């Protein structure tokens, strides 16, 4: 590709000088040309795996064919994505023009000046994806900093409950009906857990060391925050001044999470690592799985799979976690106008590709059915319901520092070492509060 570009540049050098009046500016731009148009090459970096990157490329090919302004070149690799991206953005030259960015990193990168402010570009664009008022407020918030827009979400992925209907039918257990709470969920998970002799937890002779089918699986996903919210608790206050993980509401959720992790209805963490998290559900070793709506697991299995709402909290409060994926423009791009055109076109295309578009106008069964005809009406209805009460983390510039403590000092010991949450919370809370104090003092 580099040799081909060099040939084009050499052949058109005289014309380029006449048109631009400045040879130095052309050296700072990668271009793809033909006899009638001059397209700017826009480099895109993503975390897409092989199959996802293949699907993404078909979208990019269509955009490239129709655009007069740009050619998007994809570079997708999920391995150590955040580390590689940080290195690329800190480099003076050669970084991507566009890149996928998680909600967790977006605010931090915007505060560091790594993202291009696209507020004015958005106001002048007539692309559907540029209509700010159509975004869910909590979906757009992580991509804003000091009232400016630095990126856009292309999907919000609410956690839903996937179940193996065949295993439910075999056990004569009714499917979830929207009224399940924690106690009901744990009870069903235990009923769907069977050892090699057909015994269930609590029955005489049950062998916890020889289980052939588990009711549920948990390995830090879904995040404990979802359960805390369901119990009217919080981990970061709205004013970003404290982490109230020591309230009765939060502590009860931590205890329930710990109870699930250590229940015979959930495989050991080593078994999950050995067998594969979602793979165990696909292989019918696990009867229930909480995954993102975009996982589309019901389209990937050879059994009757249903998609339902996650259980509510003890008082009936419905909340699910909505994971957010987005895209941004490198503040150092040499071609901000062409980069934005590619950015907004690609954002719109991905929003039509992925479930669920973070747009109010698209989150209804009829609209989603047109975009995703392979998913049945019941599934889409439960996804729409889940979106209506999906919540995201409270991101801020220092969030990765806060999250590192929350995970390494609190959640990892609970999940992997069977630590008692009550003994950890008093030690971890001051550390979390200190990160927030540093943020608030800036």
């Amino acid at each position: 590709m580099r040799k081909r570009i060099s040939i084009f540049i050499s052949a058109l050098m005289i014309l380029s000088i006449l048109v631009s009046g400045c040879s130095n500016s052309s050296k700072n731009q990668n271009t793809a040309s033909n006899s009638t148009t001059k397209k700017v090459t826009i480099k895109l970096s993503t975390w897409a795996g092989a199959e996802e990157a293949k699907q993404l490329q078909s979208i990019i090919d269509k955009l490239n064919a129709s655009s007069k302004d740009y050619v998007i070149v994809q570079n997708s690799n999920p391995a150590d994505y955040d580390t590689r991206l940080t290195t690329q953005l800190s480099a003076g030259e050669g970084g991507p023009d566009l890149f996928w960015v998680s909600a967790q990193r977006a605010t931090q990168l915007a505060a560091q000046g790594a993202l291009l402010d696209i507020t004015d570009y958005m106001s002048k664009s007539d692309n559907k994806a540029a209509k700010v008022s159509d975004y869910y407020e909590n979906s757009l918030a992580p991509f804003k900093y000091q009232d400016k827009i630095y990126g856009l979400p292309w999907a919000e992925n609410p956690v839903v409950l996937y179940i193996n209907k065949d295993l439910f039918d075999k056990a004569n257990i009714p499917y979830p009906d929207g009224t399940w709470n924690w106690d009901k969920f744990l009870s069903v998970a235990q009923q769907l857990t069977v050892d090699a002799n057909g015994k269930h937890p609590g029955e005489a002779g049950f062998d916890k060391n020889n289980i052939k089918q588990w009711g549920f699986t948990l390995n830090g996903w879904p995040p404990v925050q979802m359960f805390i919210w369901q119990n009217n608790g919080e981990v970061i206050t709205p004013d970003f001044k404290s982490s109230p993980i020591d309230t009765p509401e939060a502590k009860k959720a931590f205890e329930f999470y710990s109870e699930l992790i250590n229940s015979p209805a959930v495989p050991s963490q080593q078994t999950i690592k050995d067998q594969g998290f979602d793979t165990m559900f696909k292989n019918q070793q696990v009867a229930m799985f909480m995954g993102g709506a975009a996982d589309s697991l019901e389209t990937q299995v050879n059994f009757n799979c249903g998609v339902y709402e996650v259980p509510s909290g003890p008082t009936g409060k419905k909340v699910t976690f909505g994971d957010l994926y987005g895209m941004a423009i490198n503040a150092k791009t040499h071609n901000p106008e062409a980069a934005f055109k590619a950015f907004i076109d690609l954002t719109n295309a991905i929003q039509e590709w992925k479930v669920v578009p973070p747009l109010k106008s698209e989150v209804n069964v009829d609209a989603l059915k047109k975009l995703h005809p392979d998913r049945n009406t019941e599934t889409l209805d439960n996804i729409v319901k889940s979106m209506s009460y999906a919540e995201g983390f409270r991101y801020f510039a220092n969030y990765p520092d806060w999250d590192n403590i929350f995970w390494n000092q609190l959640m990892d010991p609970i999940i992997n070492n069977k630590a008692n949450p009550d003994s950890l919370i008093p030690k971890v809370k001051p550390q979390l509060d200190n990160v927030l104090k540093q943020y608030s003092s800036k």
Side-chain angles (χ1 to χ4, degrees):
M1 181 66 183
R2 190 179 298 275
K3 291 181 179 179
R4 188 179 305 164
I5 293 174
S6 298
I7 293 172
F8 285 140
I9 292 175
S10 298
L12 298 175
M13 185 177 294
I14 296 176
L15 178 60
S16 175
I17 293 174
L18 290 175
V19 173
S20 67
C22 179
S23 60
N24 288 334
S25 64
S26 66
K27 292 179 182 179
N28 290 331
Q29 296 183 1
N30 292 322
T31 62
S33 307
N34 58 35
S35 60
T36 59
T37 63
K38 182 178 180 181
K39 297 186 179 184
V40 176
T41 296
I42 300 297
K43 292 177 288 185
L44 166 70
S45 182
T46 87
W47 57 67
E51 181 57 33
E52 189 176 27
K54 182 179 178 181
Q55 296 175 26
L56 178 60
Q57 188 59 50
S58 67
I59 293 172
I60 291 173
D61 290 342
K62 293 178 182 178
L63 293 178
N64 287 343
S66 63
S67 175
K68 297 179 181 179
D69 303 296
Y70 59 77
V71 171
I72 301 172
V73 177
Q74 177 186 187
N75 178 15
S76 293
N77 186 347
D80 297 320
Y81 179 79
D82 281 350
T83 301
R84 287 188 297 103
L85 180 63
T86 300
T87 301
Q88 291 170 341
L89 294 180
S90 63
E93 300 285 343
D97 298 284
L98 312 181
F99 51 89
W100 284 3
V101 61
S102 66
Q104 175 176 333
R105 294 296 308 283
T107 304
Q108 181 190 40
L109 292 174
Q112 293 172 350
L115 310 185
L116 182 70
D117 177 359
I118 61 172
T119 310
D120 290 340
Y121 291 101
M122 291 281 287
S123 65
K124 297 174 184 177
S125 175
D126 59 0
N127 191 297
K128 185 179 70 173
K131 187 177 180 181
V132 176
S133 61
D134 197 24
Y135 286 87
Y136 286 93
E137 184 177 349
N138 64 341
S139 299
L140 186 60
F143 301 93
K144 297 177 70 175
Y145 178 69
Q146 295 183 341
D147 295 325
K148 299 290 186 179
I149 303 173
Y150 288 89
L152 289 176
W154 44 254
E156 180 165 358
N157 197 13
V159 175
V160 293
L161 178 65
Y162 292 92
I163 74 165
N164 185 323
K165 288 185 173 182
D166 293 340
L167 297 181
F168 269 68
D169 292 343
K170 183 178 179 180
N172 197 29
I173 297 174
Y175 306 146
D177 59 5
T179 65
W180 282 21
N181 58 17
W182 293 355
D183 289 341
K184 178 66 175 180
F185 176 74
L186 180 57
S187 174
V188 170
Q190 292 173 335
Q191 294 175 59
L192 290 166
T193 300
V194 186
D195 71 8
N197 298 313
K199 300 288 186 178
H200 304 277
E203 291 185 355
F206 173 74
D207 186 356
K208 66 178 182 180
N209 297 314
N210 194 14
I211 298 175
K212 69 173 185 178
Q213 174 187 303
W214 288 267
F216 183 55
T217 185
L218 188 68
N219 68 346
W221 176 268
V224 70
Q225 286 93 323
M226 184 180 85
F227 298 92
I228 293 173
W229 299 332
Q230 289 174 352
N231 199 40
N232 296 304
E234 190 48 89
V235 295
I236 297 176
T237 56
D239 60 7
F240 295 95
K241 290 186 177 180
S242 69
S243 295
I245 61 172
D246 58 346
T247 63
E249 293 81 6
K251 291 174 71 173
K252 185 172 183 177
F254 280 114
E255 291 166 3
F256 176 68
Y257 204 85
S258 177
E259 182 181 4
L260 275 177
I261 284 284
N262 297 310
S263 168
V266 171
S268 70
Q269 295 305 297
Q270 189 59 54
T271 299
I272 293 173
K273 292 175 183 176
D274 292 342
Q275 300 294 326
F277 188 44
D278 60 342
T279 302
M280 294 186 71
F281 177 74
K282 294 177 181 178
N283 290 342
Q284 303 196 64
Q285 296 170 280
V286 169
M288 296 187 291
F289 182 87
M290 288 186 190
D295 294 342
S296 305
L297 293 182
E298 81 279 11
T299 67
Q300 305 174 32
V301 296
N302 296 319
F303 55 85
N304 190 9
C305 176
V307 180
Y308 296 89
E309 300 172 84
V310 297
S312 60
T315 63
K317 184 177 181 180
K318 288 180 175 290
V319 182
T320 191
F321 172 60
D323 206 2
L324 283 166
Y325 314 122
M327 187 161 57
I329 303 175
N330 190 343
K332 296 179 182 179
T333 182
H334 294 299
N335 305 280
E337 291 190 6
F340 179 78
K341 290 179 181 179
F343 165 84
I344 202 67
D345 288 346
L346 185 56
T347 296
N348 180 62
I350 297 178
Q351 287 173 348
E352 294 180 353
W353 169 39
K354 289 292 188 179
V355 177
V356 176
L359 305 172
K360 302 169 189 174
S361 61
E362 298 290 347
V363 183
N364 60 78
V365 173
D366 290 339
L368 291 178
K369 191 67 176 176
K370 291 179 181 178
L371 295 175
H372 306 282
D374 58 329
R375 308 194 76 172
N376 65 49
T377 300
E378 181 185 42
T379 291
L380 296 176
D381 182 55
N382 283 319
I383 290 175
V384 169
K385 289 177 181 176
S386 299
M387 275 291 288
S388 70
Y389 49 74
E391 293 188 13
F393 298 148
R394 282 201 173 98
Y395 298 107
F396 58 102
N398 297 38
Y399 184 84
D401 297 332
W402 184 97
D403 186 61
N404 184 58
I405 295 171
F406 186 81
W407 177 258
N408 291 320
Q409 303 299 320
L410 182 60
M411 294 313 301
D412 184 68
I414 291 173
I415 294 166
N416 293 305
N417 297 324
K418 299 184 178 182
N420 185 340
D422 286 345
S423 66
L424 294 175
I425 288 172
K427 302 174 184 177
V428 176
K429 176 176 164 53
Q431 299 178 55
L432 298 176
D433 286 346
N434 187 53
V435 175
L436 291 169
K437 181 178 180 181
Q438 293 175 15
Y439 167 69
S440 300
S441 63
K442 291 182 179 179

